[in-house]
Amino acid sequence: MNEPLLGMISIQKKIASRFPAFGTNKCQEIGRLVSEISKREDGAVDGILTQIPVGCKAYPAVKDHLLKRRFPEASARGDKISEVFSSFEIDATHAVSLMRLSKVPAPKRIFIESAAEGSELAMRLRQKFASATTQIISSYKEFSSRSAFDIPSYNRRTDDLYIVHEKHDHFKACPCSPGVVPCGYHNVNLGFGCPFECSYCFLQNYTNAPGIVLPANLDDFLEAFKSYKPNIRVGSGETTDSLVYDDLTGYAARIVEFFRSYPQSTFEFKTKSDNIHGLLSIDASPNIVVGWSLNPQDIIDREEYFTASLAQRLDAAHRCAAHGYRVAFHFDPVVYSPGWDAAYADVVERMFNAVPAQSIAWISVGTLRMTRQQKKTIENRFPKNKILDAELFTAEDGKLRYAKDVRLDIIEKMITWLDERAVSSTLIYLCMETESIWKVIQDQRQGSKHRLIPGNG
Ligand code: SF4
C-alpha cells in the first residue's frame, strides 16, 4: 500500500528512528523525498526506507540514493539535482470532490452588490436560480474582506455567486510573471473564478474571491475600452474561463458586436468549454478569435475535471470556424510523461483536421509550471494527482518546471509539427517561457515561415 497521505510527522519519526543522527531539517527533507517516491511508485514508506543500502548512513549518501530514485530520468541524464525539499502536511478534508453531477453547479447563495441590484443580469439570475438565497451587499470589496481564503472555501466556491458593479478594474496590460518574456497582451476580467477543476489551475493560489464573481456592468467595460488603447490583443480568459458562464451573462455576443467597430484590435475568448451558443447567435467578426486549450483526452480525464472533452472542444472550434470566426489553440500546459509525443502529435493532427488552417489565428505552446505554494495546494486538493509525480525542478524564474532539456524537446517537437501544417499567417508563440528557452527556440527558427511571438499564459 502506498502512503502518500501518511502525515509528514509520522514519516519523519520513521526516518529519525532509522537515522538517529539526522536533525529536524534533514528528517524533513528526507521525509518529503520518501513520501514523493511512495506516491509516485505506489509503494510503502517502510519498503523504501528498507531499500536504502545498509552502508548508506551519512545524510548526503542517503539523499543521493533517494534523489536517484525520485528523479530517474534526470539522474540518467547526469543532471545535477540541487532541489530543497520542504515539509508538508496533507489534510484529507481538503481534497476537492470530483464526483459532482453538474459541470457548472447552480449557486446556493447569490450576493448582489447594491449598485448592481437593478441590473438585467441580477434580475435574470435571481429568476433562474430561484431556490438560491439572495442577499444585497453594499460593497463586494468590503464584504469579501471578511471571508476566509483557504482551501475549503475555495472548494466551495461555486456555492456562492457574487454579482458586482465593477468601477475600476476594466482593461489592463498583462503583468506577465517575473522571469518570462513579456507578451504585450491585455486582459479584461469579465468574471473571477471558474467551476472547472484543472489540477494545475493557478487560480487555486491566486484567488481572493469567496465565490464566483460576475460583473453586471459590461457596458462600463466597453465604454472604458474606448479610451484605452487601440491596436491591441485583448482577452477575457485570465481569471475565469471566457465562455463557461456565457449562458448566464450573454456577454460573448455583445462583445463581438462591440469589437466589430474596433477592427484594429483583436478580442480573444479562451475556453475549455463548448459553450458557443452566444457566439453562433450573431454574425462573426474577423477580429474575434475563439481559443481552446487542448490536451490529449487522457490528460483531460485526469487533470481537467468537468471541462469539455477534446472531441467536444474540436467540434466547437469546427463550428466557430465554419461560422466565420478565427480560432486559436493553446497547448498549455503540455503535460509530460513517457510517450507524450505520440499523444500530442495526435492532438495536433486532429486539430488541423477539425478546422481549416487558414482560420487559425494563433497557436501557443507552454509546458507545465507552478509555484511551490501551488504544488502544496495541488497535493491537498488533488491527492491522487499524477502531474506532481513528474520530475519538476526550480527553474530560473523560481517556478517548478520540467528540466530544461525536457522543455526544449517538447517545444521543439511541438513547433515542428505545427510549422508543418500551419499557414504563414498563423502566429505561433511560447507561453510563459523563460528567457533562456525563448532564445534557443528563436535561434533555431531563423528563416521559419511563422513569426514566433512572446506569449501570454
Ligand atoms: S479552465 Fe482555466 S480557469 Fe478554469 S479551472 Fe481550468 S485552468 Fe482554471
Side-chain angles (χ1 to χ4, degrees), residues 37-98:
I37 292 167
S38 164
K39 177 176 174 301
R40 182 182 152 100
E41 297 181 4
D42 199 17
V45 164
D46 287 338
I48 295 162
L49 290 174
T50 310
Q51 285 154 17
I52 297 174
V54 183
C56 243
K57 289 201 173 2
Y59 172 73
V62 173
K63 184 171 176 183
D64 190 53
H65 166 84
L66 293 171
L67 283 175
K68 286 189 177 121
R69 188 158 172 179
R70 172 63 184 88
F71 302 102
E73 290 184 23
S75 300
R77 282 194 304 269
D79 292 358
K80 184 173 171 356
I81 303 170
S82 46
E83 289 298 298
V84 175
F85 297 89
S86 60
S87 177
F88 70 103
E89 275 302 327
I90 293 176
D91 184 334
T93 66
H94 288 180
V96 63
S97 168
L98 301 170

Side-chain angles (χ1 to χ4, degrees), residues 71 74 77 81 83 391-395 399-403:
F71 302 102
R77 282 194 304 269
I81 303 170
E83 289 298 298
E391 300 188 19
L392 296 164
F393 304 99
T394 308
K399 288 188 180 163
L400 293 170
R401 295 174 179 267
Y402 302 129

Side-chain angles (χ1 to χ4, degrees), residues 42-335:
D42 199 17
V45 164
D46 287 338
I48 295 162
L49 290 174
T50 310
Q51 285 154 17
I52 297 174
V54 183
C56 243
K57 289 201 173 2
Y59 172 73
V62 173
K63 184 171 176 183
D64 190 53
H65 166 84
L66 293 171
L67 283 175
K68 286 189 177 121
R69 188 158 172 179
R70 172 63 184 88
F71 302 102
E73 290 184 23
S75 300
R77 282 194 304 269
D79 292 358
K80 184 173 171 356
I81 303 170
S82 46
E83 289 298 298
V84 175
F85 297 89
S86 60
S87 177
F88 70 103
E89 275 302 327
I90 293 176
D91 184 334
T93 66
H94 288 180
V96 63
S97 168
L98 301 170
M99 301 298 288
R100 73 183 194 223
L101 294 175
S102 171
K103 288 186 168 200
V104 184
K108 293 179 181 159
R109 293 169 289 273
I110 301 178
F111 300 88
I112 305 172
E113 225 178 8
S114 51
E117 190 179 356
S119 66
E120 196 259 329
L121 182 69
M123 289 193 283
R124 191 151 37 80
L125 296 193
R126 283 176 88 157
Q127 234 171 24
K128 182 176 174 70
F129 301 116
S131 59
T133 60
T134 303
Q135 184 180 338
I136 306 300
I137 56 176
S138 58
S139 156
Y140 164 73
K141 197 172 169 194
E142 192 270 326
F143 188 85
S144 62
S145 68
R146 289 183 250 139
S147 304
F149 299 119
D150 51 17
I151 291 177
S153 60
Y154 186 77
N155 287 348
R156 293 190 300 268
R157 67 194 180 284
T158 55
D159 288 350
D160 294 337
L161 175 62
Y162 291 80
I163 302 173
V164 303
H165 182 93
E166 179 54 59
K167 288 196 198 114
H168 309 293
D169 187 10
H170 297 130
F171 290 84
K172 57 190 171 196
C174 177
C176 293
S177 304
V180 303
V181 179
C183 65
Y185 200 82
H186 295 254
N187 293 309
V188 53
N189 295 336
L190 290 170
F192 202 103
C194 175
F196 296 152
E197 291 290 4
C198 301
S199 60
Y200 52 77
C201 181
F202 88 108
L203 289 178
Q204 300 171 97
N205 285 90
Y206 180 80
T207 191
N208 57 0
I212 302 294
V213 183
L214 296 176
N217 54 327
L218 176 65
D219 285 342
D220 292 340
F221 283 77
L222 302 181
E223 194 57 36
F225 183 79
K226 293 177 183 170
S227 54
Y228 189 60
K229 291 181 199 311
N231 307 331
I232 58 167
R233 284 201 311 144
V234 57
S236 58
E238 189 201 18
T239 55
T240 183
D241 181 286
S242 295
L243 294 177
V244 66
Y245 285 118
D246 200 52
D247 278 355
L248 303 186
T249 65
Y251 286 170
R254 290 173 59 193
I255 289 167
V256 175
E257 289 300 2
F258 175 84
F259 274 89
R260 208 186 292 285
S261 306
Y262 293 87
Q264 284 83 17
S265 287
T266 305
F267 190 99
E268 182 184 18
F269 297 96
K270 276 191 198 171
T271 190
K272 288 192 182 98
S273 80
D274 58 353
N275 197 9
I276 55 172
H277 319 289
L279 291 170
L280 299 188
S281 69
I282 49 160
D283 289 343
S285 178
N287 61 332
I288 299 292
V289 174
V290 194
W292 278 269
S293 167
L294 298 182
N295 255 318
Q297 187 57 46
D298 69 314
I299 302 290
I300 293 173
D301 288 341
R302 68 175 168 86
E303 310 295 350
E304 298 176 351
Y305 297 94
F306 311 119
T307 61
S309 69
L310 174 63
Q312 288 168 331
R313 295 180 206 182
L314 292 176
D315 179 59
H318 169 80
R319 288 192 287 150
C320 280
H323 196 76
Y325 288 106
R326 288 193 297 155
V327 294
F329 297 102
H330 302 284
F331 290 90
D332 183 33
V334 174
V335 178

